[in-house]
Protein backbone atom coordinates (compact mmCIF):
# COMPACT_ATOMS: atom_id res chain seq x y z
CA UNK A 1 0.00 0.00 0.00
CA UNK A 2 1.29 3.40 -0.92
CA UNK A 3 1.97 5.90 1.87
CA UNK A 4 0.20 8.57 -0.18
CA UNK A 5 -3.14 6.73 -0.28
CA UNK A 6 -6.01 9.11 0.37
CA UNK A 7 -7.83 8.48 3.61
CA UNK A 8 -11.08 10.41 3.87
CA UNK A 9 -11.70 12.39 7.05
CA UNK A 10 -14.55 11.41 9.31
CA UNK A 11 -17.30 13.92 8.74
CA UNK A 12 -20.14 14.08 11.22
CA UNK A 13 -23.63 13.89 9.71
CA UNK A 14 -25.31 17.29 9.75
CA UNK A 15 -28.16 16.50 7.35
CA UNK A 16 -30.78 16.16 10.10
CA UNK A 17 -31.52 17.57 13.53
CA UNK A 18 -30.16 14.96 15.96
CA UNK A 19 -31.66 16.44 19.15
CA UNK A 20 -34.07 13.52 19.67
CA UNK A 21 -31.40 11.01 18.62
CA UNK A 22 -28.97 12.37 21.21
CA UNK A 23 -31.63 12.07 23.92
CA UNK A 24 -32.38 8.47 22.86
CA UNK A 25 -28.70 7.49 22.90
CA UNK A 26 -28.18 9.16 26.28
CA UNK A 27 -31.19 7.17 27.54
CA UNK A 28 -29.62 3.91 26.35
CA UNK A 29 -26.48 4.70 28.35
CA UNK A 30 -28.66 5.83 31.27
CA UNK A 31 -30.48 2.48 31.10
CA UNK A 32 -27.12 0.70 31.36
CA UNK A 33 -26.24 2.75 34.46
CA UNK A 34 -29.61 2.03 36.08
CA UNK A 35 -29.31 -1.66 35.23
CA UNK A 36 -25.81 -1.86 36.71
CA UNK A 37 -26.85 -0.09 39.91
CA UNK A 38 -30.00 -2.21 40.37
CA UNK A 39 -28.58 -5.57 39.18
CA UNK A 40 -31.14 -5.73 36.36
CA UNK A 41 -29.66 -7.98 33.65
CA UNK A 42 -32.71 -7.71 31.40
CA UNK A 43 -32.51 -3.90 31.35
CA UNK A 44 -28.74 -4.12 30.83
CA UNK A 45 -29.37 -6.18 27.69
CA UNK A 46 -32.59 -4.55 26.41
CA UNK A 47 -30.99 -1.96 24.11
CA UNK A 48 -28.65 -4.32 22.21
CA UNK A 49 -29.32 -5.70 18.74
CA UNK A 50 -29.90 -9.45 18.53
CA UNK A 51 -26.42 -9.95 17.05
CA UNK A 52 -24.57 -7.31 19.08
CA UNK A 53 -20.96 -7.73 20.14
CA UNK A 54 -19.40 -6.55 23.39
CA UNK A 55 -15.83 -6.58 24.55
CA UNK A 56 -16.02 -6.34 28.32
CA UNK A 57 -13.56 -4.61 30.63
CA UNK A 58 -11.40 -7.74 30.94
CA UNK A 59 -11.18 -8.25 27.17
CA UNK A 60 -13.70 -11.06 26.68
CA UNK A 61 -15.65 -10.95 23.40
CA UNK A 62 -19.36 -11.68 23.79
CA UNK A 63 -21.62 -12.05 20.75
CA UNK A 64 -25.40 -12.21 20.54
CA UNK A 65 -28.21 -11.09 22.82
CA UNK A 66 -28.57 -14.45 24.61
CA UNK A 67 -24.84 -14.56 25.41
CA UNK A 68 -24.94 -10.95 26.65
CA UNK A 69 -27.98 -11.61 28.82
CA UNK A 70 -26.38 -14.66 30.43
CA UNK A 71 -23.12 -12.81 31.08
CA UNK A 72 -25.04 -9.86 32.53
CA UNK A 73 -27.05 -12.19 34.78
CA UNK A 74 -23.88 -13.86 36.07
CA UNK A 75 -21.98 -10.62 36.59
CA UNK A 76 -24.78 -8.62 38.20
CA UNK A 77 -25.71 -11.48 40.53
CA UNK A 78 -22.07 -12.23 41.27
CA UNK A 79 -18.96 -10.06 41.42
CA UNK A 80 -20.82 -6.86 40.42
CA UNK A 81 -23.72 -7.33 42.83
CA UNK A 82 -22.57 -4.74 45.38
CA UNK A 83 -20.84 -2.44 42.88
CA UNK A 84 -22.24 0.92 41.76
CA UNK A 85 -21.33 3.28 38.98
CA UNK A 86 -21.93 6.71 37.48
CA UNK A 87 -21.73 7.09 33.69
CA UNK A 88 -21.08 10.28 31.76
CA UNK A 89 -21.63 10.52 28.01
CA UNK A 90 -18.64 12.46 26.68
CA UNK A 91 -19.47 12.60 22.98
CA UNK A 92 -21.81 11.36 20.28
CA UNK A 93 -20.85 11.50 16.60
CA UNK A 94 -23.32 10.67 13.84
CA UNK A 95 -21.55 8.93 10.95
CA UNK A 96 -24.83 8.80 9.02
CA UNK A 97 -28.36 9.73 10.07
CA UNK A 98 -28.82 6.12 11.30
CA UNK A 99 -25.32 5.30 12.63
CA UNK A 100 -23.63 6.87 15.65
CA UNK A 101 -20.52 6.39 17.74
CA UNK A 102 -20.67 7.41 21.39
CA UNK A 103 -18.24 7.38 24.31
CA UNK A 104 -18.99 7.16 28.00
CA UNK A 105 -16.71 7.29 30.99
CA UNK A 106 -17.45 5.59 34.28
CA UNK A 107 -16.62 6.10 37.91
CA UNK A 108 -17.28 3.77 40.81
CA UNK A 109 -19.68 5.10 43.44
CA UNK A 110 -21.10 4.13 46.79
CA UNK A 111 -24.64 2.72 46.95
CA UNK A 112 -26.00 6.23 47.54
CA UNK A 113 -24.10 7.68 44.55
CA UNK A 114 -21.06 9.19 46.28
CA UNK A 115 -17.97 9.08 44.09
CA UNK A 116 -15.26 6.59 45.04
CA UNK A 117 -13.07 7.18 41.99
CA UNK A 118 -11.55 10.64 41.69
CA UNK A 119 -10.77 9.97 38.02
CA UNK A 120 -12.66 7.93 35.46
CA UNK A 121 -12.08 4.20 35.86
CA UNK A 122 -13.38 3.04 32.47
CA UNK A 123 -14.14 4.34 29.00
CA UNK A 124 -16.57 2.66 26.62
CA UNK A 125 -17.13 3.03 22.89
CA UNK A 126 -20.63 2.40 21.58
CA UNK A 127 -21.61 1.81 17.96
CA UNK A 128 -25.31 2.51 17.61
CA UNK A 129 -27.74 1.98 14.74
CA UNK A 130 -31.24 3.27 14.17
CA UNK A 131 -33.74 0.67 12.96
CA UNK A 132 -37.44 1.38 12.48
CA UNK A 133 -37.15 4.68 14.37
CA UNK A 134 -35.38 3.21 17.44
CA UNK A 135 -31.72 3.33 18.44
CA UNK A 136 -29.90 0.09 19.30
CA UNK A 137 -26.40 -0.73 20.49
CA UNK A 138 -24.72 -2.89 17.84
CA UNK A 139 -21.31 -2.99 19.53
CA UNK A 140 -19.64 -1.83 22.74
CA UNK A 141 -15.98 -1.89 23.77
CA UNK A 142 -15.11 -1.32 27.44
CA UNK A 143 -11.58 -0.39 28.47
CA UNK A 144 -10.30 0.06 31.99
CA UNK A 145 -8.30 3.25 32.50
CA UNK A 146 -5.06 2.57 34.39
CA UNK A 147 -4.99 4.45 37.67
CA UNK A 148 -1.86 6.24 38.87
CA UNK A 149 -0.04 4.72 41.78
Amino acid sequence: MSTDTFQPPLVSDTTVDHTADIAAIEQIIGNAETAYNTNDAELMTADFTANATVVNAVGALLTGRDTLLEANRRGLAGFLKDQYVRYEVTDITFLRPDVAVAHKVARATTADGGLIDIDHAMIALYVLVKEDGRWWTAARQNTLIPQGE
Side-chain angles (χ1 to χ4, degrees):
M1 173 183 265
S2 172
T3 58
D4 59 351
T5 302
F6 174 73
Q7 293 178 291
L10 175 64
V11 178
S12 183
D13 173 66
T14 58
T15 63
V16 297
D17 178 4
H18 287 292
T19 303
D21 298 321
I22 290 167
I25 291 168
E26 288 175 340
Q27 183 61 56
I28 287 172
I29 294 171
N31 289 347
E33 178 181 327
T34 298
Y36 190 106
N37 291 333
T38 61
N39 300 311
D40 187 338
E42 285 73 20
L43 179 59
M44 180 73 79
T45 311
D47 294 313
F48 284 93
T49 62
N51 60 342
T53 59
V54 169
V55 176
N56 67 20
V58 295
L61 175 63
L62 307 168
T63 302
R65 186 189 185 286
D66 292 341
T67 301
L68 294 174
L69 180 58
E70 182 55 32
N72 290 335
R73 284 180 176 150
R74 280 193 320 273
L76 292 171
F79 71 100
L80 298 174
K81 184 175 183 174
D82 295 318
Q83 303 293 313
Y84 303 92
V85 70
R86 183 183 305 171
Y87 293 152
E88 175 189 348
V89 177
T90 58
D91 65 82
I92 300 172
T93 302
F94 293 90
L95 306 179
R96 300 187 330 209
D98 61 345
V99 177
V101 174
H103 288 94
K104 76 175 180 195
V105 289
R107 290 181 176 169
T109 69
T110 62
D112 62 359
L115 287 175
I116 295 172
D117 290 327
I118 295 171
D119 295 317
H120 300 294
M122 185 194 70
I123 187 167
L125 167 69
Y126 283 70
V127 177
L128 301 114
V129 295
K130 192 173 189 179
E131 288 286 329
D132 297 323
R134 185 195 191 286
W135 284 95
W136 298 92
T137 302
R140 187 183 74 211
Q141 165 79 44
N142 295 322
T143 303
L144 294 173
I145 298 172
Q147 300 299 306
E149 294 185 39

